[in-house]
Amino acid sequence: MTSDAAHLVSFLSGRGAAVEGLDEATWDRIVALAKRNGVAQLLPAAWKAQGIIPPLAVSTRAGEIRIACASRNIRLFHELDIVLSALQEENISVVPLKGAWLAESAYDDIVQRTMGDVDLWIRRDDLDAARRVLGSLGYSWHSREDRPQELQDALTGETQLIKKNAPLLELHWNIFRGEWVRHTARIEERDVWNRTIAFKGEMVRQLSPEDAILHLCVHLAVNHQMSSTGLRTLLDLDRIRRRWEIDWDAVTRRAIEWRISNAVWLVLRLLDEAFGDQERLLPLWELRPSQFRRKILAGFISLRSLVEGRDVTRGPTRFLYLLALVDRFSAAYLLVFRALFPDLTWLTLRYGLKEAPGWRVGLQRLWHPMRILLRRNI
């Protein structure tokens, strides 16, 4: 890693770092790098715990970031409490995900975990009722051109809702989402739901620790392709494993059964590299892919590239990376085939052709692979 990245990881891991001789410009770069990774608000507490005294201007800047994070999170959790109360009044069980859950359950206080939006998981049967509840609170649907709501409802399992002066709210009935998961993995989400445990009463629940680890690994490795605040996710995983007793055998077994072992191994390997594994609990050996596969994945992702923000979410690199991540060769073949020749449900809903005549759908089927080649993106 670069010196700046190495210092940042050392601060966050609690290992301490030699800071003698660092000039203020270097301190500024470290804080800026931490801010890009969504972890700068953790630096004041980390420095204090390790007896590190940065320059006053740097300490002030990090403190201001922490105060801004506190202000945003207080407003966000106030709105979240309103949403959760309204859902409970209608007897709708809900599972807060990622920051909406981690900030309270894995960190020492809600200031330490930045949040961009609010993710909530509900059962598919409660989707319409939950939308009505949120509509009564002033939320409205937000649909992107490349993600029509009909497509989301049928396959992706996500509804984005917006409200003035409130964070983006993402309502999920499917938390292991995306075409990669749909075509290559074998995850039974009903079992994941049945393993949830009480969080804020019986109606507001949380993922089991093992399922939370698997969800975060898939979300980072697959949905975000190891880009965008990946270091923050490694911190999330580190806090979870230190806060709760983890059945690592269950993590290993489910990763293999769900056909996501390469994705889980990749994230846990980086977790080990960044924050260590003194007790040798991480199932790196059990999940380790072949040497050839390891070399391929290392060409895409390293701890340095993660911290420094390499982005592989666009262009052909993204698809090559996702191909390298699959557990089975047959799944890679299916992923390529479906990228070029999507199934009828996806094709018609993605392009708004649900009621279109057969010839129009046929033309779109011919145009779709041409569109991929022209845009050089899937």
Side-chain angles (χ1 to χ4, degrees), residues 238-269:
D238 187 53
R239 294 301 178 96
I240 289 174
R241 66 172 173 164
R242 296 179 189 279
R243 184 63 60 93
W244 293 294
E245 183 175 346
I246 308 296
D247 184 347
W248 289 106
D249 288 337
V251 172
T252 303
R253 184 173 61 256
R254 289 172 202 167
I256 294 172
E257 291 175 352
W258 295 355
R259 302 181 187 179
I260 56 171
S261 60
N262 288 338
V264 174
W265 172 85
L266 178 61
V267 176
L268 294 184
R269 181 183 67 80

Side-chain angles (χ1 to χ4, degrees), residues 41-288:
Q41 72 285 349
L42 287 161
L43 290 177
W47 291 334
K48 182 178 180 180
Q50 296 167 57
I52 296 172
I53 303 177
L56 178 60
V58 174
S59 178
T60 300
R61 192 170 301 114
E64 290 172 347
I65 294 172
R66 185 179 186 279
I67 291 172
C69 181
S71 177
R72 174 175 171 79
N73 279 10
I74 289 171
R75 294 195 305 270
L76 190 149
F77 273 98
H78 174 70
E79 181 68 20
L80 177 59
D81 287 342
I82 294 173
V83 169
L84 294 178
S85 295
L87 292 172
Q88 288 182 83
E89 287 178 4
E90 296 298 322
N91 293 317
I92 299 173
S93 295
V94 59
V95 179
L97 301 169
K98 296 185 291 183
W101 164 62
L102 289 162
E104 290 189 292
S105 60
Y107 287 81
D108 294 330
D109 63 67
I110 64 170
V111 177
Q112 294 186 338
R113 179 46 160 85
T114 57
M115 297 173 59
D117 50 33
V118 173
D119 293 88
L120 302 176
W121 183 27
I122 61 172
R123 285 175 291 206
R124 181 68 176 86
D125 293 343
D126 289 330
L127 180 59
D128 291 337
R131 284 174 174 166
R132 287 195 297 272
V133 169
L134 293 170
S136 71
L137 296 177
Y139 284 90
S140 59
W141 294 6
H142 173 67
S143 182
R144 290 170 36 178
E145 182 182 356
D146 61 338
R147 296 181 184 178
Q149 194 56 56
E150 279 194 308
L151 177 64
Q152 300 276 42
D153 289 347
L155 299 177
T156 307
E158 176 186 286
T159 300
Q160 292 187 335
L161 300 116
I162 56 175
K163 175 183 174 181
K164 187 177 180 179
N165 298 325
L168 175 69
L169 193 153
E170 295 188 344
L171 197 62
H172 303 267
W173 59 262
N174 180 1
I175 58 169
F176 291 92
R177 58 184 180 81
E179 292 297 286
W180 188 95
V181 171
R182 189 163 76 96
H183 293 307
T184 71
R186 296 292 182 272
I187 303 173
E188 179 50 68
E189 293 207 4
R190 183 178 300 177
D191 293 339
V192 178
W193 182 278
N194 290 337
R195 284 193 294 265
T196 59
I197 55 181
F199 176 37
K200 295 180 178 181
E202 287 297 320
M203 299 295 291
V204 180
R205 308 182 65 77
Q206 64 182 18
L207 295 176
S208 73
E210 296 77 22
D211 289 332
I213 286 173
L214 292 169
H215 178 248
L216 288 171
C217 286
V218 171
H219 189 73
L220 176 58
V222 177
N223 300 117
H224 284 293
Q225 292 102 59
M226 305 300 293
S227 306
S228 177
T229 63
L231 181 58
R232 187 181 66 184
T233 300
L234 296 186
L235 266 171
D236 293 340
L237 290 164
D238 187 53
R239 294 301 178 96
I240 289 174
R241 66 172 173 164
R242 296 179 189 279
R243 184 63 60 93
W244 293 294
E245 183 175 346
I246 308 296
D247 184 347
W248 289 106
D249 288 337
V251 172
T252 303
R253 184 173 61 256
R254 289 172 202 167
I256 294 172
E257 291 175 352
W258 295 355
R259 302 181 187 179
I260 56 171
S261 60
N262 288 338
V264 174
W265 172 85
L266 178 61
V267 176
L268 294 184
R269 181 183 67 80
L270 295 176
L271 174 64
D272 178 31
E273 187 176 347
F275 300 109
D277 181 27
Q278 292 184 350
E279 298 180 0
R280 293 289 181 265
L281 296 176
L282 297 178
L284 299 178
W285 178 263
E286 295 85 347
L287 297 177
R288 190 171 71 161

